[in-house]
């Protein structure tokens, strides 16, 4: 069985604050192929709401989200 | 169901500007609409725990009561993370109902809303 959440690329946004996590996520998602997953780690508490809304607005799909000890991890599938 | 966004940029130094978003937000929800308040710049001080209890103007009830009514009605509260940094307020000091958010959320809420009012 293929693990659909294996990231093709990873982005470290730890230590970065608004609007950097959004700006870098947008830049990095364009570096994976449509259908592939980008893993993003951030510790900006605003990123949980911001990246969720960015994904919804841009149409990309958050296939998994984890929050552990202040680190937010998003697995985002590029859709377009 | 319509969506209204209120943006609160004023702080406790202008207490008369703090009531309207809560009162309007609760009114909107009671009319069947969705309401959200985004607190930014000095506005974040309003949703610091214990601050609304200190605000009162004339014959108005304490701001905390009006805020509680709005929260209980279902008004959503967002708190600008960058503004909390700007003012040096630790994130854990805000009301638990507040969602810490940033620029993408404010823009998204504004684009989703049928009306945006700033106080």
């Amino acid at each position: 069985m293929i693990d659909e959440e294996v990231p093709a690329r990873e982005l470290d946004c730890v230590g970065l604050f608004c609007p950097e996590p959004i700006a870098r996520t947008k830049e990095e998602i364009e570096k994976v192929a449509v259908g592939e997953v980008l893993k993003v780690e951030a510790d900006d508490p605003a990123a949980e709401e911001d990246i969720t809304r960015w994904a919804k607005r841009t149409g990309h799909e958050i296939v998994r989200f984890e929050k552990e000890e202040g680190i937010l991890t998003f697995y985002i599938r590029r859709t377009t | 169901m319509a969506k209204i966004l209120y943006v609160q940029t004023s702080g406790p130094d202008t207490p008369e500007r703090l009531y309207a978003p809560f009162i309007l937000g609760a009114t909107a929800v009671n009319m069947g609409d969705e309401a959200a308040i985004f607190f930014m710049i000095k506005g974040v001080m309003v949703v610091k725990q214990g601050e609304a209890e200190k605000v009162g103007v004339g014959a108005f009830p304490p701001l905390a009561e009006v805020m509680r009514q709005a929260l209980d009605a279902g008004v959503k509260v967002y708190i600008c993370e960058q503004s909390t940094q700007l003012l040096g307020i630790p994130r854990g000091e805000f009301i638990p109902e507040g969602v810490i958010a940033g620029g993408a959320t404010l823009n998204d809420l504004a684009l989703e809303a049928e009306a945006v009012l700033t106080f």
Side-chain angles (χ1 to χ4, degrees):
Chain A
M1 192 182 136
I2 298 163
D3 185 347
E4 293 189 332
E5 293 163 5
V6 173
R9 203 173 169 87
E10 299 189 9
L11 171 65
D12 180 7
C13 290
V14 173
L16 301 176
F17 290 96
C18 172
E20 281 300 313
I22 289 287
R24 302 221 179 171
T25 301
K26 182 198 174 285
E27 206 174 285
E28 291 297 307
I29 198 87
E30 285 163 13
K31 294 178 185 168
V32 305
V34 170
E36 286 183 340
V37 169
L38 170 70
K39 177 183 173 186
V40 179
E41 284 188 319
D43 63 348
D44 176 3
E48 181 172 354
E49 190 73 17
D50 278 19
I51 289 181
T52 303
R53 285 176 178 270
W54 168 83
K56 196 177 164 200
R57 188 159 288 282
T58 54
H60 298 300
E61 183 192 356
I62 295 175
V63 290
R64 195 161 110 216
F65 171 71
E66 291 162 4
K67 184 153 77 169
E68 210 170 319
E69 288 170 10
I71 301 291
L72 310 166
T73 308
F74 304 84
Y75 294 80
I76 308 163
R77 184 189 312 285
R78 181 176 175 182
T79 57
T80 56
Chain B
M1 188 190 285
K3 288 185 182 179
I4 306 181
L5 173 66
Y6 306 94
V7 181
Q8 180 56 278
T9 63
S10 304
D13 54 337
T14 52
E16 68 281 1
R17 301 187 71 84
L18 307 182
Y19 284 84
F22 292 122
I23 294 170
L24 290 168
T27 307
V29 173
N30 289 329
M31 287 174 68
D33 295 314
E34 280 182 34
I37 311 173
F38 196 98
F39 290 87
M40 66 187 299
I41 318 176
K42 279 183 172 177
V44 299
M45 294 161 77
V46 179
V47 281
K48 188 171 175 273
Q49 285 186 36
E51 283 304 308
E53 281 77 2
K54 298 177 196 163
V55 177
V57 181
F60 268 49
L63 187 67
E65 276 180 35
V66 178
M67 179 168 81
R68 178 45 54 198
Q69 283 165 4
L71 291 169
D72 289 349
V75 175
K76 302 275 192 324
V77 166
Y78 295 90
I79 302 167
C80 171
E81 201 276 335
Q82 286 286 53
S83 300
T84 70
Q85 284 194 43
L86 183 75
L87 298 172
I89 306 170
R91 286 171 213 119
E93 294 190 1
F94 292 94
I95 59 167
E97 292 88 347
V99 175
I100 302 287
T105 298
L106 174 56
N107 288 337
D108 193 46
L109 287 166
L111 288 168
E112 277 182 354
E114 275 79 12
V116 182
L117 300 173
T118 304
F119 292 92

